[in-house]
Amino acid sequence: MMSHTNHPNEGVRAPLLRSSSSRVSIPTDDTLPPLRDVITQVENTLAQLAPSVSDNIIPEDVVKSTLAFGGFVSVSAALQAAQGASKERAQLLAVKLVERIVREARLTDATVEVNEVLWVVLTKQSNLGKRELSALEAALQVEATTFLSSEIVSTFVNDIWNEGNQIDPNREKRPTNTTPTSGLGRLWKKVLNHLERWRTPRYQNALIIIVALVYIALYFFIVNIVEYMNNWPSVLEWIFYLFVFGEVISELQEIILNPVSHFTTLSTWFILPPTALLFSSFVFRMVALHCTSRMQMIRHLYTSYILLCFVAPFLFLRLIVWLDAFETIAKIEILIGKALRDSFWVFAMLVVTVVGFWQAVYAIEVDENVWTVLKVLVMGALYAPDFDATTRYDPIPNTLLFFTYLFLVTVVLTSLLVASFIASYLSIYPSLHGIYLLSFTRKTLAALHSGDDTGLIFPPLGNLPELIFVKPLLVLAYRSSNLHPFDTARREKWAKAYNRVREAVWILVYLPVVLLVSLAEVIYNLFDRLLGRITRFILARRSSFDGEPSAAGGGRDTRDLASVLRGNPATASSTSFHHAGSTNNHYYYYNTGAGGLTTPQIPNDTLRKIFDVLDRLENRADAIERRLNGIEKQLGGAPAQDSDAEDDGDLGPEGRFEVETLQIDDY
């Protein structure tokens, strides 16, 4: 654990994190207070803040005292204390704690990377004898959108999405880090490096999308073949049914493990209906192909084909689930889910209204078929009323009932539905980005932990080989662990065997996808290199005609300046780190100098102000020069030009030069 002291002013406090040999770890300390005590301390601290202190300002002494008491656990404690009126302050305190931990870790050891520190602070739990929530898990539990929206946290979550557990400083390094000498060794290293990228959530999500596209293509092939009702399934059709079996197994696992959360998720209702329809279609087809009666076989095959056709709309709706890693699609899914949940009472009123009028109309027109009456009412609700069918036997009472029904359904309930959708949109839109960050962070952590230590997942149909070859090995490993609970060597041996088998099965199943993506990346890299060479050639030719130095040659390198202007720390120096400013959400950059000291750079907003003022000063200097030239001509007896027609630039009234005061904050 992190070492700490209850009196931060006594002596020198131990470092928050220990780093050695490019590894960041948590210093063990048995005196670290329990998490519950740290949460109580944070709650009391926030409650004692003066009412005059703004909600978006956390005093520095509060950050220091909290960090001195709880160490890195105070980040998770602050988030778990984010309740009620102090929720916003608790989240801001958590952000300040993260920034200070990163700053102190960098001051202690300048070779430590920011993501290594953040990995330990935000994704690790405290080792207090029981499972505690990490900082990111606590943020998801209390829906800390302010904390997740902060620049330092959101950037780190994006890095996890792109790199996975590759940024874990304590992760066992794989043999891809070695430097081979032979050509075959270098080729094998490239292959291993490419496979390593498939362990990241970003590549795993790409795998899901590619498998989904293959799934849709197979569906279109089956639903459009002419021989569906005449022949046995072909090889491609059996592959499609293997996808269906994988979907069924995946849904059963979710229902058994997380029934409540599964059925309350919007994406479930995009997945469950088509899966049930496809499985039913397969069952009817197999029954039909084993029937002895020709009529029964045709009837079952027709039912199977109709069920298969019903899947098409749901399959396209599933694209929302498959593409929810993209921000726009994810926000659409959030809006639709919110609107449907808030409008459930309108649909309930619609059902009650239809059932009530169904009974009334059928009681009057007793000779009419009951389902015909329901069809007329449903068509009326869909703005296609059939007055002749409703008023066939007793026109006066049925006309009154039908007009009343149409008014309630098409005017009242429709208006209520529209109003409910608008209210849902207006209520969620201001916080839509924060809700998206919650969803994206939850998806990132789920992808990070879904593949065990390998980081590899098995979307259908790959979950069938996983169930056959990998899961039994996991059961044997658990059984061995229960029989020999204190045999660490045996447990590690089983874990390594399980990981190797899982990796081998994954490569064998998804090798075509890996090769396809590898080919696409090679083509893209070659095209990018060709485009870069063409661009450099054009710039070199242009500079040779203009007599200026080539931008591709020995020109001034402005990457660091551009990185600061864009606010992009990823393109800055590898020895720099960043944290949010105390009065705004922009980054301050610190470059490590000699001896591990840090020299502050200019904040982004201030740098932009300086460049803007310099441009205006240059324009005003040109205007002054033109004014002086005009005065000189007048004094020398030259023909006076219309000075009023001169361009005075930005000169103030009466020809005076005015300079505004530049206020440089936080520097």
Side-chain angles (χ1 to χ4, degrees):
M1 295 298 161
M2 288 184 187
S3 61
H4 74 283
T5 175
N6 294 339
H7 306 284
N9 296 328
E10 293 181 11
V12 179
R13 184 162 55 88
L16 293 169
L17 300 173
R18 181 192 299 130
S19 62
S20 61
S21 302
S22 300
R23 289 174 175 263
V24 181
S25 60
I26 304 170
T28 56
D29 188 358
D30 297 334
T31 63
L32 189 68
L35 180 62
R36 183 66 256 177
D37 293 348
V38 183
I39 295 176
T40 304
Q41 173 74 10
V42 172
E43 291 175 347
N44 295 335
T45 302
L46 294 176
Q48 293 173 3
L49 286 178
S52 58
V53 178
S54 176
D55 288 340
N56 59 356
I57 296 178
I58 301 296
E60 192 65 24
D61 58 338
V62 173
V63 179
K64 292 180 180 179
S65 60
T66 305
L67 198 58
F69 180 77
F72 94 105
V73 184
S74 56
V75 179
S76 178
L79 291 171
Q80 296 183 52
Q83 303 292 337
S86 61
K87 182 175 182 178
E88 193 70 18
R89 283 183 174 177
Q91 296 181 66
L92 293 174
L93 175 60
V95 175
K96 296 294 182 183
L97 291 171
V98 172
E99 295 169 1
R100 188 167 187 84
I101 291 174
V102 172
R103 183 163 59 249
E104 292 194 13
R106 289 282 296 173
L107 290 174
T108 304
D109 186 357
T111 62
V112 175
E113 296 184 4
V114 177
N115 278 344
E116 294 180 349
V117 180
L118 292 177
W119 179 272
V120 176
V121 174
L122 298 180
T123 66
K124 296 299 181 182
Q125 300 87 22
S126 57
N127 300 320
L128 296 175
K130 62 178 181 179
R131 173 71 160 74
E132 302 287 357
L133 292 176
S134 66
L136 287 180
E137 291 172 342
L140 294 177
Q141 185 182 62
V142 300
E143 297 184 354
T145 56
T146 302
F147 176 78
L148 295 175
S149 300
S150 63
E151 197 73 23
I152 190 169
V153 177
S154 61
T155 302
F156 175 69
V157 173
N158 285 327
D159 290 341
I160 295 180
W161 175 262
N162 293 325
E163 302 179 34
N165 58 4
Q166 305 297 314
I167 60 179
D168 183 2
N170 305 311
R171 182 174 177 271
E172 289 296 330
K173 303 301 180 183
R174 299 182 181 270
T176 56
N177 294 324
T178 59
T179 304
T181 55
S182 62
L184 184 61
R186 286 193 295 269
L187 177 62
W188 179 244
K189 180 183 178 181
K190 290 182 179 180
V191 172
L192 292 179
N193 284 333
H194 181 74
L195 293 178
E196 282 292 307
R197 285 182 289 178
W198 284 95
R199 305 176 191 276
T200 63
R202 179 167 64 100
Y203 270 75
Q204 292 294 302
N205 185 73
L207 173 65
I208 293 174
I209 295 175
I210 294 173
V211 171
L213 294 177
V214 174
Y215 188 35
I216 294 176
L218 289 174
Y219 170 79
F220 277 114
F221 170 77
I222 294 176
V223 80
N224 290 296
I225 60 176
V226 182
E227 300 82 4
Y228 183 86
M229 301 181 66
N230 298 325
N231 298 329
W232 275 82
S234 62
V235 176
L236 291 179
E237 291 177 273
W238 280 116
I239 295 176
F240 176 76
Y241 287 134
L242 289 177
F243 273 99
V244 175
F245 294 152
E247 292 276 1
V248 171
I249 292 175
S250 177
E251 287 299 304
L252 289 177
Q253 288 177 342
E254 291 292 335
I255 292 173
I256 294 173
L257 297 177
N258 304 299
V260 177
S261 62
H262 187 61
F263 284 110
T264 55
T265 305
L266 177 64
S267 59
T268 300
W269 302 105
F270 292 155
I271 300 175
L272 193 58
T275 302
L277 289 173
L278 287 172
F279 185 74
S280 302
S281 174
F282 170 77
V283 172
F284 273 103
R285 189 177 187 185
M286 291 298 103
V287 171
L289 294 176
H290 287 83
C291 285
T292 56
S293 172
R294 180 70 177 175
M295 294 300 297
Q296 287 184 352
M297 183 182 70
I298 294 176
R299 185 168 59 251
H300 289 326
L301 283 175
Y302 179 76
T303 304
S304 172
Y305 187 73
I306 293 300
L307 292 175
L308 184 67
C309 294
F310 279 176
V311 174
F314 291 99
L315 208 58
F316 280 97
L317 287 176
R318 284 196 62 178
L319 290 174
I320 299 177
V321 180
W322 286 323
L323 301 176
D324 62 353
F326 299 96
E327 183 175 353
T328 302
I329 303 297
K331 289 182 177 179
I332 292 175
E333 182 181 358
I334 293 170
L335 286 173
I336 294 175
K338 173 68 173 176
L340 292 178
R341 286 192 299 269
D342 292 349
S343 303
F344 178 79
W345 63 277
V346 181
F347 295 107
M349 289 182 62
L350 175 62
V351 172
V352 172
T353 303
V354 172
V355 172
F357 280 89
W358 183 20
Q359 173 61 61
V361 175
Y362 177 70
I364 295 176
E365 299 205 4
V366 66
D367 294 332
E368 193 67 79
N369 184 276
V370 61
W371 300 113
T372 303
V373 175
L374 178 61
K375 175 186 175 182
V376 170
L377 293 177
V378 172
M379 294 302 293
L382 298 176
Y383 296 90
D386 187 355
F387 290 96
D388 294 335
T390 310
T391 61
R392 183 178 306 167
Y393 296 103
D394 203 342
I396 296 177
N398 276 345
T399 300
L400 180 62
L401 282 173
F402 199 53
F403 271 100
T404 304
Y405 167 78
L406 290 178
F407 174 77
L408 290 177
V409 172
T410 61
V411 178
V412 178
L413 290 181
T414 302
S415 301
L416 290 175
L417 182 63
V418 173
S420 178
F421 272 45
I422 293 175
S424 300
Y425 177 80
L426 294 177
S427 64
I428 198 176
Y429 186 77
S431 58
L432 183 59
H433 184 67
I435 298 175
Y436 160 72
L437 289 178
L438 282 173
S439 174
F440 181 72
T441 304
R442 187 176 291 109
K443 183 181 182 68
T444 301
L445 292 182
L448 187 65
H449 301 306
S450 61
D452 300 331
D453 185 56
T454 61
L456 301 174
I457 62 174
F458 287 83
L461 76 163
N463 57 346
L464 295 178
E466 180 194 21
L467 184 65
I468 297 173
F469 299 106
V470 180
K471 293 299 182 182
L473 193 62
L474 183 62
V475 173
L476 293 176
Y478 278 130
R479 182 178 179 182
S480 175
S481 177
N482 293 331
L483 294 176
H484 308 279
F486 302 104
D487 194 345
T488 306
R490 180 187 294 269
R491 188 160 54 249
E492 292 179 353
K493 181 179 179 180
W494 274 106
K496 290 182 179 180
Y498 170 77
N499 291 336
R500 290 174 181 173
V501 172
R502 185 182 180 90
E503 291 174 356
V505 172
W506 188 92
I507 293 174
L508 291 176
V509 173
Y510 297 110
L511 183 61
V513 178
V514 174
L515 295 178
L516 179 64
V517 174
S518 301
L519 179 62
E521 287 186 340
V522 169
I523 295 175
Y524 174 79
N525 290 333
L526 291 176
F527 178 78
D528 187 59
R529 290 181 181 179
L530 178 62
L531 185 63
R533 290 184 179 181
I534 294 174
T535 303
R536 288 192 294 270
F537 175 76
I538 294 174
L539 292 176
R541 297 282 294 180
R542 181 182 299 175
S543 62
S544 63
F545 285 117
D546 296 341
E548 297 178 355
S550 173
R556 184 171 61 92
D557 187 3
T558 59
R559 285 176 299 173
D560 291 338
L561 178 61
S563 302
V564 174
L565 286 175
R566 289 193 303 266
N568 183 11
T571 58
S573 174
S574 60
T575 59
S576 65
F577 82 101
H578 51 273
H579 65 90
S582 58
T583 58
N584 52 49
N585 293 327
H586 300 287
Y587 276 25
Y588 294 6
Y589 292 81
Y590 289 79
N591 292 332
T592 305
L597 300 178
T598 58
T599 56
Q601 302 296 311
I602 300 175
N604 299 354
D605 290 343
T606 303
L607 195 60
R608 293 188 182 96
K609 290 180 182 179
I610 292 175
F611 287 158
D612 182 62
V613 171
L614 289 176
D615 291 338
R616 280 183 278 176
L617 286 176
E618 184 178 1
N619 294 334
R620 292 173 180 177
D622 293 338
I624 291 174
E625 184 177 1
R626 290 192 297 270
R627 184 78 175 193
L628 291 176
N629 290 336
I631 294 175
E632 182 179 0
K633 290 179 180 180
Q634 292 179 5
L635 293 177
Q641 299 179 358
D642 187 7
S643 60
D644 294 333
E646 292 276 334
D647 182 10
D648 291 338
D650 292 331
L651 291 180
E654 301 177 1
R656 290 195 301 269
F657 173 58
E658 297 178 353
V659 180
E660 65 179 17
T661 302
L662 173 63
Q663 185 68 28
I664 301 179
D665 300 324
D666 305 319
Y667 181 58

